[in-house]
């Protein structure tokens, strides 16, 4: 559910149109259509700090953000969920990938206030406690990582890929991960890891 | 005092080419592993020691450090490429909400050396607040005419309309090379170019700094924890022992992160001024424009060859493009082809008003190998010889000669090469031209002395190994873990490696592919000392003569008595801990002082659009003793992928009017991505080199030397004309195809 501004200041200008555009662009290159329909609620926030509640990894988290605060900054700086990385801050690398209602988005391109009312899943929430998700196990098994900075983004994008496709072939995997960059050069082993995880699911 | 040495006979070389040599080893050190050593753990596939931390997002990089009261810093930078700072007013910025510290880094009158030179720094409660304040910084400059186009800079060679250098060859050292050129049956001359590549590490430069009185702790994204500590101590003028540097994880450096840098120093200064911890990491744009790059190069080569394929003359000159410093743009041609060839090497630098070049993964080598290997294929074509045969004829490196043969067979070179360059495959889609190319790879990287490793054995049979240097993602932690496990004869899971904390023993900067070859012998030595110490403790507990107790192969054996498992032996430690420090002794004279490799690539070229796609690549690479196989393969594949990117995509594009890089982001600075991925294979070629007790060699750099050259040669084979300018973008391919049609 969406929280209205709590300081009572009147809305100054609408960012809704801007947000819609930004959010659509934020969807990792591969999702047809757009984000899940945004919940209804007030259409504008005044500048300055607002208290919102985000549903993150199954828990409700209350935090203060400005309207301009990205979901990525909110997760990293306010909630100390630093698995998602700010690598390009422009929707070009996938390092900040999280899921909104099960769909991969670049969280640097989503405003925190726009994620209110949606289920946010980050790399930290993929598997409970000490357990690993099969994808995470396969990433380790295939050594599909080097410095590891891009890895949380790849795991999340791969997870969203497996949400969409039961048994993706190599081309589908490449396509679904095409919004993610790795400078160390782990792509081939990432594809293998995703294939193996898909095989286990199947 | 000379250390006492013991002579050992060891078997070095590689399968099919084994040699016995004698090495003199410090008598505190261990007999080197050699071709006959049977390993339990070394060379096997093991999960990366920090894999789980990385796939769960729990790994904390410098970028991820959150501390109570943490402030966010940024640097305000000059928009002009050359001139002086005329006026600077920071008052309005200081008055902005949330701002806690503002510092000038230059005073009026200071020189501006490139667009992006630092002027001021700000720390605020959020990065957004710091950005708001940055907009209030008032700077005035006196701009001067700048030169950012290397071809227009003083000292640059003139090029003709085909891109060929027109200047005469230099006089210096001309006699021998001129004679050889005159005498050669065939002579070719050509000019090659490489554009500037940025390191593009995904974690940007910077650090998080916290002061406790006069003590400083930083979490740095660095390739040199100890170098960062020394750099901060010198710049901040505080004792090095007051500084602790943490780098447990780091997100890529590729040669650009050896110093704290202006960003690191400013983070510390802002933290001091604000009396609060500060995180200052560069933005993506700054990372491209202000944090170094691989210099561009203009390389001219003329070479002579005889009918039988022997290269008799090789004249190489290079104008490097290292930015405003005007230093460090040198490039390097392969040497194994020219051991008995008349040869000259001339290097110049051309300064421009751009960010300074820095070391990048085999600095200068990919440029030099690209130019030379393409010239080699041009020479081979001129005399009608297959490029592989041409290499076999001229290469004097016996390791690589074996690798060429293995690689050619694995790649099916003879079969796959395009026999009719410029023509589509018979019966295939005429739109696509296919071709195959190859290149040699080389590097040094045997490491050296100076590192130490702590090894502790606890009563619960947990073993810890510690060193203060950093693991860039190469798998150093896994290497330390596996080597300790091998020496102690226990499962790797019982060993925990710790790196990246300057309170632990000293280790090298990770440059020149020296980290593993430097660290590996020290950890093996540490584990051996720990093994002996454990035996001594067991002897004392059991009340037997220490000389009668030995620890090896995961067991402690009392001569003529009982045998204890490692776990049971450790239990006898009670509340004690075994703690020893292993040394890294100097290298002995072993087998081969460099590593050799070769690579093969297949491409297809779209005649309609000029697009080049790499379809398949193979590397055969020597890295001495392969310790952590999976991680060594990962690093090899990674260097190949980075090489595809350098060959096809990456270039800094500069608007010469403003003197600024216009593609300083990941939208327009193209890196190879998942959709560009060819099939790829890495074959590690085991060589026992006997230089140290382990004989590991670095693999980060040698592999990065060859891909662009192999791909450029494959394009030559596909379209029938060489494209001598990296990256091989569609515009250049279309131009070459048009030229090929004309001739
Ligand atoms: S940081 Fe969000 S896509 Fe790059
Ligand atoms: S593992 Fe380093 S960027 Fe992907």
């Amino acid at each position: 559910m969406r929280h209205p501004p709590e300081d009572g200041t009147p809305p100054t200008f609408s960012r809704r149109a801007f947000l819609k555009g930004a959010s659509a662009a934020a969807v990792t290159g591969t999702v047809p259509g757009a984000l899940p329909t945004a919940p209804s609620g007030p259409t504008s926030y005044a500048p300055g700090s607002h208290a919102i509640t985000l549903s993150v990894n199954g828990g409700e988290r209350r935090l203060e953000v400005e309207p301009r605060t990205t979901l990525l900054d909110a997760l990293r700086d306010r909630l100390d969920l630093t698995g998602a990385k700010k690598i390009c801050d422009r929707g070009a690398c996938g390092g900040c990938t999280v899921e909104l209602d099960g769909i991969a988005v670049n969280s640097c391109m989503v405003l925190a206030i726009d994620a209110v009312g949606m289920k946010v899943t980050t790399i930290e929430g993929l598997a409970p406690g000490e357990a690993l998700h099969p994808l995470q196990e396969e990433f380790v098994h295939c050594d599909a990582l080097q410095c590891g900075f891009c890895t949380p983004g790849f795991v999340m994008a791969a997870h969203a890929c497996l949400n969409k496709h039961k048994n993706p072939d190599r081309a589908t995997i490449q396509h679904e991960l095409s919004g993610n960059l790795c400078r160390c050069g782990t792509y081939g082993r990432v594809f293998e890891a995703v294939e193996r995880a898909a095989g286990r699911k199947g | 005092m000379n250390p006492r040495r013991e002579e050992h006979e060891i078997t070095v070389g590689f399968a099919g080419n084994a040699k016995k040599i004698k090495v003199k080893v410090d008598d505190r050190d261990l007999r080197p592993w050699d071709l006959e050593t049977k390993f339990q753990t070394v060379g096997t596939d093991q999960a990366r020691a920090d894999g789980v931390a990385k796939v769960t997002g729990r790994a904390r990089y410098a970028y991820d450090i959150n501390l109570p009261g943490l402030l966010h810093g940024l640097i305000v930078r000059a928009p002009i490429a050359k001139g002086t700072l005329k006026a600077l007013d920071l008052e309005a910025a200081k008055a902005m909400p949330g701002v806690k510290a503002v510092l000038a880094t230059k005073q009026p009158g200071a020189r501006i050396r490139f667009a992006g030179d630092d002027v001021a720094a700000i720390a605020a409660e959020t990065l957004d607040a710091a950005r708001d304040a940055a907009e209030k910084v008032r700077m005035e400059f006196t701009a001067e005419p700048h030169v950012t186009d290397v071809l227009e800079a003083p000292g640059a060679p003139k090029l003709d309309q085909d891109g060929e250098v027109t200047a005469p060859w230099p006089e210096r050292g001309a006699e021998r090379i001129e004679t050889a050129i005159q005498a050669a049956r065939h002579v070719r001359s050509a000019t090659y170019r490489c554009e500037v590549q940025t390191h593009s590490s995904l974690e940007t430069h910077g650090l998080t700094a916290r002061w406790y009185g006069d003590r400083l702790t930083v979490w740095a994204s660095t390739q040199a924890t100890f170098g960062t500590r020394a750099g901060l101590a010198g710049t901040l003028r505080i004792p090095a022992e007051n500084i602790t540097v943490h780098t447990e994880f780091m997100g890529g450096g590729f040669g650009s992160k050896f110093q704290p840098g202006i960003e690191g120093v400013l983070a510390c200064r802002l933290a001091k001024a604000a009396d609060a911890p500060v995180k200052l990491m560069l933005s993506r744009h700054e990372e491209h424009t202000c944090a170094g790059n691989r210099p561009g190069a203009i390389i001219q080569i003329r070479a002579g060859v005889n009918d039988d394929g022997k290269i008799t003359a090789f004249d190489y000159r290079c104008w490097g493009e290292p930015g405003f410093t005007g230093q460090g743009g040198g490039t390097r041609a392969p040497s194994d082809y020219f051991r008995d060839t008349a040869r000259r090497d001339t290097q110049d630098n051309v300064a421009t008003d751009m960010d300074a070049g820095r070391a990048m993964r085999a600095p200068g080598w990919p440029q030099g190998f690209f130019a030379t290997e393409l010239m080699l294929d041009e020479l081979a074509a001129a005399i009608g010889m297959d490029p592989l045969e041409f290499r076999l004829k001229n290469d004097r490196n016996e390791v690589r000669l074996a690798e060429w043969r293995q690689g050619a067979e694995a790649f099916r070179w003879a079969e796959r090469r395009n026999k009719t360059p410029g023509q589509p495959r018979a019966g295939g889609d005429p739109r696509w031209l296919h071709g195959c190319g190859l290149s040699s790879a080389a590097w040094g990287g045997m490491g050296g002395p100076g590192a130490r490793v702590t090894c502790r054995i606890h009563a619960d049979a947990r073993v810890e190994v510690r060193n203060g240097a950093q693991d860039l993602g190469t798998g150093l932690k896994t290497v330390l873990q596996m080597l300790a496990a091998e020496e102690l004869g226990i499962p790797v899971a019982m060993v925990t490696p710790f790196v990246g904390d300057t309170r632990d023993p000293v280790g090298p900067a990770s440059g020149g592919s020296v980290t593993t070859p430097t660290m590996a012998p020290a950890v093996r030595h540490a584990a051996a000392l720990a093994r002996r110490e454990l035996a001594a403790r067991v002897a004392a507990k059991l009340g037997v003569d220490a000389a009668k107790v030995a620890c090896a192969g995961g067991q402690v054996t009392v001569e003529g008595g009982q045998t204890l498992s490692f776990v049971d032996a450790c239990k006898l430690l009670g509340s004690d801990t075994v703690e020893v420090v292993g040394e890294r002794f100097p290298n002995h004279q072993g087998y081969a002082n460099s590593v050799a490799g070769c690579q093969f690539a297949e491409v297809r070229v779209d005649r309609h659009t000029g697009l080049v796609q790499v379809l398949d690549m193979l590397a055969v690479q020597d890295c001495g003793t392969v310790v952590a196989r999976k991680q060594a393969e990962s690093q090899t594949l990674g260097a190949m992928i980075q090489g595809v990117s350098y060959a096809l995509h990456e270039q800094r594009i500069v608007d010469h009017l403003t003197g600024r890089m216009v593609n300083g982001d990941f939208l327009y600075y193209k890196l190879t991505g998942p959709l560009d991925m060819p099939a790829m294979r890495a074959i590690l070629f085991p060589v026992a080199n006997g230089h140290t007790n382990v004989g590991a060699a670095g693999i980060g750099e040698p592999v990065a030397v060859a891909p662009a050259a192999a791909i450029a040669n494959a394009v030559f084979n596909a379209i029938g004309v060489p494209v001598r300018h990296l990256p091989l973008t569609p515009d250049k391919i279309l131009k070459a195809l048009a030229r090929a049609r004309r001739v």
Side-chain angles (χ1 to χ4, degrees), chain A residues 8 21 34 69 77 122 131 151 160 163 167 172:
Chain A
T69 306
D77 297 344
T122 71
T151 307
N163 285 346
N167 233 324
T172 307

Side-chain angles (χ1 to χ4, degrees), chain B residues 258-275:
Chain B
F258 290 112
Q259 301 290 331
I262 182 75
E263 58 281 349
V265 171
L266 286 174
C268 299
R269 290 212 164 120
L270 286 167
K272 186 104 221 177
D275 198 16

Side-chain angles (χ1 to χ4, degrees), chain A residues 26 72 84-97 105-109 179-181, chain B residues 284 666:
Chain A
L72 177 62
K85 305 289 188 251
K86 189 194 285 182
I87 293 172
C88 71
D89 208 11
R90 290 289 184 282
C93 77
C96 61
T97 305
V105 297
N106 292 327
S107 62
C108 70
M109 299 294 283
N180 290 61
L181 289 177
Chain B
R284 179 53 49 196
F666 280 149

Side-chain angles (χ1 to χ4, degrees), chain A residues 145-151 154 181-186, chain B residues 202 251-252 254:
Chain A
L145 60 144
Q146 290 179 53
C147 80
F149 206 69
C150 69
T151 307
F154 269 100
L181 289 177
C182 171
R183 185 47 154 170
C184 299
T186 58
Chain B
L202 292 199
F254 310 108

Side-chain angles (χ1 to χ4, degrees), chain B residues 702-731:
Chain B
V703 183
V705 167
I711 291 166
N713 279 337
V715 168
F716 179 29
N717 180 229
I719 69 176
V721 285
V723 181
R724 303 192 184 111
H725 190 169
L726 293 181
L728 305 172
T729 44
D731 53 326

